[in-house]
Amino acid sequence: MTTTTTDVDLDITGMTCASCATRVERKLNRLPGVAATVNFATEKARVHAESPVPLEELISAVEQAGYGASVPAPPATEAPDEQATVPRDTELVSLRQRLIVSTVLAVPVAVLSMIPVLQFTYWQWLTLTLAAPVVVWGAWPFHRAAAINARHGAATMDTLISLGVLAAFGWSLYAMFFGGAGMPGMRMSVTFVGTPQSGGHEVYLEVAALVTVFILLGRYLETRAKRQSGEALRALLELGAKDAVVLRTGSEQRVPVAQLVPGDIVVVRPGEKIPADGVVTEGVSAVDESMLTGESVPVEVAPGSKVVGATVNTGGRLLVELTRVGADTELARMARLVEEAQTGKAQVQRLADRVSAIFVPIVIALAIVAFTVWLLVGASPEVAFTAAVTTLIIACPCALGLATPTALLVGTGRGAQLGILIRGPQVLEQTRRIDTVVLDKTGTITAGTMTVTATHPAAGTDETELVQVAGALEHGSEHPIGRAITNAASGPLAAVESFQAEAGQGVQGIVDGRMVAAGRASWITTQWSLPIPSGLADTIAADEAAGATVTVVAWDGQVRGAISVADTIKPTSREAVARLRELGLTPILLTGDNPGAARAIANQAGIEDVRAGVTPQGKLDTIRDLQAAGRVVAMVGDGVNDAAALAAADLGIAMGTGTDAAITAADLTIVSGDLMLVPDAIRLARRTLGTIKGNLFWAFAYNVAAIPVAMLALLNPILAAAAMAFSSVFVVTNSLRLRRFRPLPTPTRAGAPATREPAPVQA
């Protein structure tokens, strides 16, 4: 049956580099009325058609380009225990197996070829036996991709790899079977000025084997990093409840969330997650929405209040009538936002892939020219073949293949020691270009936990007594505000009797024989009919305007004072913002909190541009608006509500103390959650990018200088291999310099600089 569609996402298989994604995109866009974007990192194509297009036609177009396409499978709905066995990534497992086996076989080949004293009689035949599986089986992914590209008239890095490996191996076979390299007693030697006639007496199987191993290593690291891009969606969906207690036929039944339907009445006990979106029909409680909103203060709910799936009931028992389940919930909608943001992110083609499209055909043409010219001037076929193969070998992309992964390995390793996790090479280019950094408030600039910020005793009341009595009363409360007040009290607390809590208003109880009440000012004045002194009322109004939550405390029929609680700024946030400015970045505070609290925190952090009361969708829209205005944006956040914005930003930076959804949607992760590490992370990423570009420059410069010498047949093929190896050594040595990267010193509380060197973090 033919299925037609106007908008569809396709899973694409078989892509090995960014140019593959471009090829698939061009093939789809040639269809009438079709506009497609292909993302290499997520291996997805997003297709929009002006009129319905048969799905089979879209898949066929992708297959004609040499790749595979399919409609993504729907989200799994089985119970958690049925999902316990997740199939392993076959491509990643295959690459790892090829890398391990190829390394084991290639090491003795290299040792025997490079150390003459170990070259026993017929040693070359042993190296041939060991190298053959590496060249044929280990490098098979490159040969296959090169063949597909050739069939479609294209050349990529895979073409270079395949040509270099096969040329080295093919010449070795020629030398051993038709030249003198297969004779007993053959020894390898290197001469700076090659004699082409002796080219048939040398083999360079170690070149074919080591190139395969090095490139397999880079491809494995790249694939492993790329696979992590889908974990953001999985982390989001795992936040939801796995099962629910539903009221049916007058009894409670525990069922998987997949079996819930709109209209069901579910029971949510304290500490349990609300299974889906709905409306409270019975009960009062406080709901912790921090995993979705990022804000630390629970929201009071009562009959008629709307609640969102995946949030946590922290107070009393609730009955909730479900209104949206499955793919219609707020959590599922946020998951779609993350996926859309990832798919729409600009593709970053690595420099080597871009240049190889021109470089490969040129090298092949030069090898053919060298072969033809030597024959025309009367040289023997051996001389011509030696010159041609030497040209290919000296242009072998070993250094190109090492340029990115070695710098990335050293840079990310150094970052891990400092508590900075860099996802992959595609991240680094963005750090150089960003000019704006958008900062979430809660958990990023602030600590994300409620803390007592001020105490205001009334006339005649001791401040310490105010905090101790309030702390003793709130000891019976599970509310974050109550816990903050209890934590502020010092020493042993008196026992509380007859404790009662009124949801959303306050608490009351008997402490040391005194009836004590603590709660909202309006509750104290109406429920208890206690007037608040005018001076204290003005102070309460000022604190609330600044974003604090104020608890009024009364006992013995009199208001005794007020305690202000708020989320406080981290000690290093102001200095971190200043250092971001030094890097040329414009900071913007973006939060779902109220404008008063946002402005108060922004003033403390030194940020002028504040955008408050923003929803998760609004955060995503803000990022896109900034990008549309020409800004290159970095987003720093820690909550699920930040995940879509992190994915859409040109550079996403997550606090490691935040949610898994935020971490997996980001490009950089600050494990410790210290904002001071954000400017260090940007500096390290920029330096790593600079090292990669330097590696690529010298790798290409080496080719430009060496290829003419090779074409003149002045190099022995072994010397070509040695020169290629030297370029690789240079690339590795240059990359190792990143180990000397040091973070900027952090000012101590006394003002003296202190060197910051966190303990190593296991990534």
Side-chain angles (χ1 to χ4, degrees):
M1 184 178 72
T2 301
T3 303
T4 59
T5 183
T6 55
D7 293 279
V8 66
D9 288 343
L10 297 176
D11 287 336
I12 308 297
T13 58
M15 296 190 297
T16 59
C17 64
S19 57
C20 296
T22 303
R23 193 167 306 117
V24 174
E25 189 173 289
R26 288 176 179 171
K27 192 72 174 179
L28 286 170
N29 286 331
R30 287 185 186 140
L31 298 175
V34 170
T37 57
V38 179
N39 191 309
F40 173 56
T42 59
E43 296 183 327
K44 288 184 179 294
R46 170 149 294 172
V47 182
H48 172 74
E50 295 177 358
S51 58
V53 176
L55 188 59
E56 293 79 0
E57 184 176 344
L58 298 175
I59 295 176
S60 175
V62 176
E63 292 174 344
Q64 289 173 16
Y67 305 92
S70 61
V71 178
T77 57
E78 59 267 24
D81 57 344
E82 296 174 358
Q83 300 181 37
T85 55
V86 180
R88 295 188 301 172
D89 189 318
T90 54
E91 181 184 0
L92 201 61
V93 171
S94 174
L95 280 172
R96 183 165 59 242
Q97 290 174 344
R98 292 179 194 273
L99 175 61
I100 293 173
V101 174
S102 297
T103 302
V104 171
L105 295 176
V107 168
V109 173
V111 171
L112 286 173
S113 300
M114 297 178 180
I115 305 178
V117 72
L118 298 179
Q119 295 171 359
F120 53 86
T121 304
Y122 292 120
W123 66 273
Q124 67 272 39
W125 294 101
L126 175 60
T127 60
L128 175 62
T129 304
L130 295 173
V134 178
V135 171
V136 177
W137 177 76
W140 174 249
F142 313 128
H143 301 325
R144 179 181 177 275
I148 293 174
N149 292 327
R151 192 163 67 244
H152 294 87
T156 65
M157 178 69 85
D158 291 307
T159 308
L160 274 177
I161 297 167
S162 181
L163 276 177
V165 170
L166 291 179
F169 188 70
W171 176 255
S172 298
L173 290 178
Y174 170 82
M176 292 177 69
F177 285 98
F178 302 104
M183 303 299 293
M186 191 276 275
R187 295 290 185 271
M188 294 277 279
S189 61
V190 178
T191 57
F192 286 98
V193 180
T195 53
Q197 291 79 5
S198 67
H201 299 282
E202 304 282 4
V203 296
Y204 33 98
L205 293 166
E206 80 285 359
V207 175
L210 290 179
V211 165
T212 300
V213 169
F214 288 143
I215 304 303
L216 276 174
L217 174 62
R219 184 63 53 84
Y220 171 73
L221 295 173
E222 176 185 345
T223 302
R224 189 177 64 174
K226 188 174 63 176
R227 288 294 181 268
Q228 295 174 356
S229 62
E231 292 180 5
L233 301 179
R234 188 157 52 251
L236 271 174
L237 296 174
E238 286 177 354
L239 287 174
K242 302 300 185 290
D243 51 33
V245 176
V246 62
L247 284 177
R248 289 178 180 168
T249 64
S251 61
E252 296 183 2
Q253 303 175 25
R254 187 167 291 276
V255 300
V257 292
Q259 297 180 14
L260 296 175
V261 296
D264 276 343
I265 303 294
V266 295
V267 181
V268 187
R269 294 180 174 82
E272 292 183 342
K273 291 182 178 180
I274 297 172
D277 300 355
V279 177
V280 176
T281 60
E282 182 181 317
V284 292
S285 181
V287 175
D288 181 1
E289 297 184 347
S290 60
M291 64 177 60
L292 289 176
T293 64
E295 302 309 321
S296 53
V297 181
V299 176
E300 309 292 344
V301 297
S305 300
K306 293 182 179 180
V307 290
V308 179
T311 56
V312 179
N313 176 23
T314 64
R317 178 178 181 269
L318 295 175
L319 293 184
V320 178
E321 180 180 353
L322 302 184
T323 56
R324 293 184 296 181
V325 300
D328 297 327
T329 63
E330 182 72 11
L331 182 66
R333 190 184 71 84
M334 292 184 68
R336 287 195 295 273
L337 285 177
V338 173
E339 184 175 18
E340 290 171 5
Q342 286 184 336
T343 304
K345 181 179 286 190
Q347 302 172 32
V348 183
Q349 292 187 347
R350 287 190 294 166
L351 295 178
D353 278 324
R354 289 202 293 266
V355 177
S356 66
I358 303 173
F359 181 68
V360 178
I362 290 176
V363 170
I364 296 173
L366 291 176
I368 295 173
V369 168
F371 181 81
T372 304
V373 170
W374 276 108
L375 288 179
L376 291 176
V377 297
S380 66
E382 288 80 2
V383 172
F385 190 66
T386 299
V389 172
T390 304
T391 301
L392 283 175
I393 291 301
I394 206 162
C396 193
C398 187
L400 293 177
L402 285 173
T404 295
T406 55
L408 187 64
L409 274 175
V410 179
T412 55
R414 180 57 183 149
Q417 290 179 321
L418 301 173
I420 302 166
L421 305 183
I422 302 174
R423 169 159 295 183
Q426 73 280 1
V427 174
L428 305 175
E429 279 197 54
Q430 304 300 349
T431 63
R432 175 180 56 85
R433 300 170 50 241
I434 59 173
D435 51 35
T436 304
V437 57
V438 176
L439 301 162
D440 174 51
K441 181 180 75 69
T442 307
T444 301
I445 292 179
T446 66
T449 56
M450 305 300 287
T451 306
V452 172
T453 56
T455 54
H456 307 291
T461 303
D462 180 71
E463 182 175 352
T464 302
E465 182 185 15
L466 174 68
V467 176
Q468 289 296 114
V469 172
L473 176 64
E474 295 284 9
H475 188 63
S477 171
E478 292 298 322
H479 199 286
I481 293 176
R483 288 197 295 270
I485 294 174
T486 299
N487 292 337
S490 59
L493 297 174
V496 59
E497 301 174 7
S498 303
F499 177 83
Q500 293 182 19
E502 185 168 338
Q505 299 299 327
V507 295
Q508 66 185 61
I510 298 175
V511 179
D512 286 337
R514 297 177 292 189
M515 174 59 72
V516 183
R520 295 178 182 271
S522 58
W523 184 63
I524 294 293
T525 56
T526 57
Q527 182 72 19
W528 294 86
S529 301
L530 298 177
I532 299 175
S534 58
L536 183 60
D538 294 340
T539 302
I540 291 172
D543 280 10
E544 288 180 340
T549 301
V550 181
T551 298
V552 177
V553 185
W555 66 77
D556 291 341
Q558 184 177 347
V559 172
R560 300 292 179 171
I563 301 175
S564 298
V565 175
D567 190 6
T568 56
I569 189 172
K570 293 178 181 177
T572 58
S573 291
R574 186 174 184 86
E575 177 66 20
V577 170
R579 291 188 177 180
L580 289 171
R581 291 184 185 277
E582 291 174 2
L583 290 172
L585 307 179
T586 302
I588 296 174
L589 180 62
L590 188 65
T591 178
D593 210 344
N594 66 75
R599 173 51 63 187
I601 294 296
N603 290 339
Q604 295 178 54
I607 301 175
E608 290 83 20
D609 193 342
V610 181
R611 308 185 186 193
V614 182
T615 64
Q617 176 68 57
K619 290 189 176 185
L620 178 59
D621 293 340
T622 299
I623 297 296
R624 287 176 169 165
D625 289 344
L626 289 169
Q627 291 170 330
R631 304 276 193 94
V632 184
V633 183
M635 169 72 188
V636 186
D638 74 324
V640 176
N641 61 315
D642 302 320
L646 286 168
D650 298 285
L651 179 69
I653 304 175
M655 296 289 110
T657 51
T659 63
D660 289 342
I663 293 170
T664 51
D667 303 308
L668 290 172
T669 299
I670 308 301
V671 176
S672 66
D674 184 0
L675 193 63
M676 280 293 290
L677 282 174
V678 172
D680 286 333
I682 294 174
R683 289 176 52 243
L684 175 60
R686 287 179 174 178
R687 187 169 300 180
T688 305
L689 173 64
T691 301
I692 289 175
K693 289 188 172 182
N695 287 346
L696 291 172
F697 171 80
W698 288 111
F700 283 117
Y702 142 80
N703 281 306
V704 171
I707 286 176
V709 181
M711 292 179 65
L712 293 173
L714 297 177
L715 289 179
N716 188 293
I718 279 295
L719 185 58
M724 186 270 298
F726 173 77
S727 69
S728 302
V729 171
F730 172 82
V731 163
V732 173
T733 304
N734 188 44
S735 298
L736 289 175
R737 294 189 305 116
L738 287 168
R739 293 190 301 183
R740 299 199 296 267
F741 176 85
R742 292 288 183 272
L744 293 174
T746 302
T748 63
R749 292 186 179 181
T755 301
R756 178 162 39 90
E757 186 81 13
V761 176
Q762 292 184 352

